[in-house]
Structure formats: structure tokens, C-alpha cells
Amino acid sequence: ADYVAQPPLAMKKKTETTTILPKLPPLLVMRGEHDFVTAACTRAWKQDLWKQQERSAREVELAGTSHHGLLENGPLFGSVVESFLAEYDP
């Protein structure tokens, strides 16, 4: 059978007493200080999508950038990614 991508919550398994969600990798969400993706947007995402990930999800606002932080301030973007990855691969 061909592989069909599906959202993680669609992969949950139910037992008689509980719902088991798949273990997802750590999550880093970056947005720019002047981004159209606002803090209100990410708050809504947290409520809906990150419930299982609260301990392993991080949001970072890149100072002085808009939606394209990698292009606008590559060194800042890189240091945030490097710091995040270093926590999981010391």
C-alpha cells in the first residue's frame, strides 16, 4: 500500500480507558517581531495543536524581523536553531 501522510492526532490509538497519542519530536516555532503570524496566532496553535507537546515545544520571536527571519537576520536565525538542536543532541 502507498504511504499516506496524516496529522499526528489522526494516528492516536484508543484503549478501553485512555487515548494514546504518538510521541512527536521537539517543536520549534519561530516568528518575526513584525510577522503577520502574531502571538495570538501561535496562542491558538498551542491550544489546538501543541497540547501533547507543551514540554517539548518552544516559540521564539526573532527581534527586528518580519516573516523571513532567515533572510533578514541569518546569524540570529542560525543561533536560535543551533541552540534548540543542541538541547537534544549535546
Side-chain angles (χ1 to χ4, degrees):
D2 292 334
Y3 172 79
V4 176
Q6 55 184 317
L9 293 180
M11 296 185 291
K12 63 186 175 186
K13 297 176 185 165
K14 291 191 175 195
T15 67
E16 289 182 29
T17 57
T18 189
T19 298
I20 302 168
L21 296 172
K23 183 164 174 60
L24 300 175
L27 173 66
L28 173 62
V29 174
M30 291 189 285
R31 62 179 192 80
E33 178 182 6
H34 308 291
D35 204 326
F36 62 85
V37 176
T38 64
C41 289
T42 57
R43 271 194 303 278
W45 295 345
K46 286 176 191 176
Q47 291 171 354
D48 294 340
L49 303 173
W50 301 357
K51 289 177 184 171
Q52 179 187 354
Q53 290 282 59
E54 283 186 45
R55 281 188 246 162
S56 60
R58 183 186 319 153
E59 177 183 359
V60 176
E61 181 180 277
L62 300 175
T65 68
S66 64
H67 191 69
H68 302 284
L70 172 61
L71 301 176
E72 297 170 57
N73 190 338
L76 174 60
F77 184 95
S79 69
V80 169
V81 171
E82 184 175 34
S83 169
F84 179 75
L85 294 176
E87 291 180 32
Y88 301 98
D89 187 23

